[in-house]
Amino acid sequence: MAVVETKIEEGVGVVTINRPEALNAINSDVMEGLLQAVAAFDADDAIGCIVLTGAGDKAFVAGADIKEMASKSYMEMYLDDRQSGWEVFANTRKPMVAAVNGFALGGGCEIAMMCDFIIASDKAKFGQPEIKLGVIPGWGGTQRLAKAVGKAKAMDLILTGRMMDAAEAERAGLVARIVQHENLMDEAMAAAKAIAGFGRPSVMLAKEAVNRAFETTLAEGIHFERRAFYSLFATDDQKEGMAAFAEKRAPEFKNR
């Protein structure tokens, strides 16, 4: 049984972490499979959006496989530097939606935050409990959580190691929306299919522009947005989209 499963549905690449017996904890095999699956979908012209979820009803990802790393030395961790692989994952050009179906703890919360937005089951729980293991988040948790929910909430969660439920996560700005548990994948797929149905150039530039807001000044961000906006007038999709609007019909984007 594969620890990472993939399928394609109407332009959406679905990646499922499949270790439900271990609450989908990330070990070396899962990490390698996950990075390869997402990279393949990102490079596939037929894919317009990626959905990431976990198998079973209990967990999205309950964290990293602690047994695998418990005995590692500083130099082993430093030379192996597996953490750097997540930067490639986080920098996919196509949008990624995290469908969080249960526990998203430690590395699981960090992976969800690497996606572009999170749709959460009403049973989802989020947290960065690494402090209870004598370490801190190592896959970007201290940085992304602070940007997502602010300093006070990030300090609370990281220093106490407590979990927050989906409702608190939505209020804090970590989660885009909450849906009933049994409707999670339907809602996530509906959002992903909508994204995949738009023109690729505008979708990828929209993602890039929003991310730029967190990486630069307002003035530079506005300048980037304006250049991106103008550049889309060189695409066939812009001509088709605006013509379809004027003609009161559905557009047929060609992704060029």
Side-chain angles (χ1 to χ4, degrees), residues 117-193:
F117 63 92
I118 298 169
I119 298 178
S121 153
D122 53 10
K123 295 183 179 179
K125 293 185 182 296
F126 300 85
Q128 299 288 166
E130 289 89 347
I131 202 79
K132 297 179 179 180
L133 302 174
V135 292
I136 66 171
W139 296 352
T142 61
Q143 306 304 298
R144 290 190 177 95
L145 189 61
K147 289 181 182 295
V149 304
K151 178 182 176 181
K153 183 73 75 174
M155 284 289 193
D156 176 12
L157 291 164
I158 291 169
L159 293 180
T160 68
R162 73 175 182 88
M163 291 186 288
M164 62 178 172
D165 62 16
E168 183 181 356
E170 186 184 37
R171 290 196 303 271
L174 181 64
V175 166
R177 58 179 110 152
I178 303 169
V179 301
Q180 290 185 334
H181 184 74
E182 58 271 22
N183 297 332
L184 174 64
M185 286 308 294
D186 288 342
E187 293 279 353
M189 289 300 292
K193 288 175 184 178

Side-chain angles (χ1 to χ4, degrees), residues 10 16 30 36 38 56 104 129 140 176 196 203 214 243-244:
E10 297 180 33
T16 303
V30 174
Q36 288 178 353
V38 168
V203 166
F214 293 92

Side-chain angles (χ1 to χ4, degrees), residues 49-238:
C49 190
I50 301 167
V51 172
L52 176 62
T53 194
D57 287 331
K58 293 183 178 180
F60 172 73
V61 173
D65 193 324
I66 303 304
K67 294 179 181 178
E68 188 176 73
M69 69 172 69
S71 63
K72 300 272 188 187
S73 69
Y74 162 77
M75 196 51 65
E76 286 175 312
M77 294 295 288
Y78 178 75
L79 292 176
D80 192 24
D81 193 28
R82 280 183 171 268
Q83 271 77 340
S84 62
W86 291 117
E87 293 312 303
V88 177
F89 175 93
N91 289 322
T92 58
R93 299 184 72 198
K94 292 171 184 172
M96 282 199 294
V97 179
V100 176
N101 52 311
F103 293 114
L105 305 177
C109 187
E110 290 168 303
I111 290 170
M113 289 191 291
M114 292 179 209
C115 296
D116 294 297
F117 63 92
I118 298 169
I119 298 178
S121 153
D122 53 10
K123 295 183 179 179
K125 293 185 182 296
F126 300 85
Q128 299 288 166
E130 289 89 347
I131 202 79
K132 297 179 179 180
L133 302 174
V135 292
I136 66 171
W139 296 352
T142 61
Q143 306 304 298
R144 290 190 177 95
L145 189 61
K147 289 181 182 295
V149 304
K151 178 182 176 181
K153 183 73 75 174
M155 284 289 193
D156 176 12
L157 291 164
I158 291 169
L159 293 180
T160 68
R162 73 175 182 88
M163 291 186 288
M164 62 178 172
D165 62 16
E168 183 181 356
E170 186 184 37
R171 290 196 303 271
L174 181 64
V175 166
R177 58 179 110 152
I178 303 169
V179 301
Q180 290 185 334
H181 184 74
E182 58 271 22
N183 297 332
L184 174 64
M185 286 308 294
D186 288 342
E187 293 279 353
M189 289 300 292
K193 288 175 184 178
I195 293 167
F198 299 129
R200 304 278 191 275
S202 57
V203 166
M204 290 193 291
L205 275 172
K207 170 176 172 169
E208 193 173 348
V210 172
N211 283 334
R212 186 61 63 98
F214 293 92
E215 298 163 358
T216 189
T217 64
L218 176 61
E220 178 55 35
I222 293 293
H223 188 48
F224 178 89
E225 178 192 82
R226 188 177 300 127
R227 291 197 305 268
F229 175 73
Y230 293 156
S231 75
L232 287 167
F233 281 77
T235 67
D236 292 344
D237 283 347
Q238 173 268 326

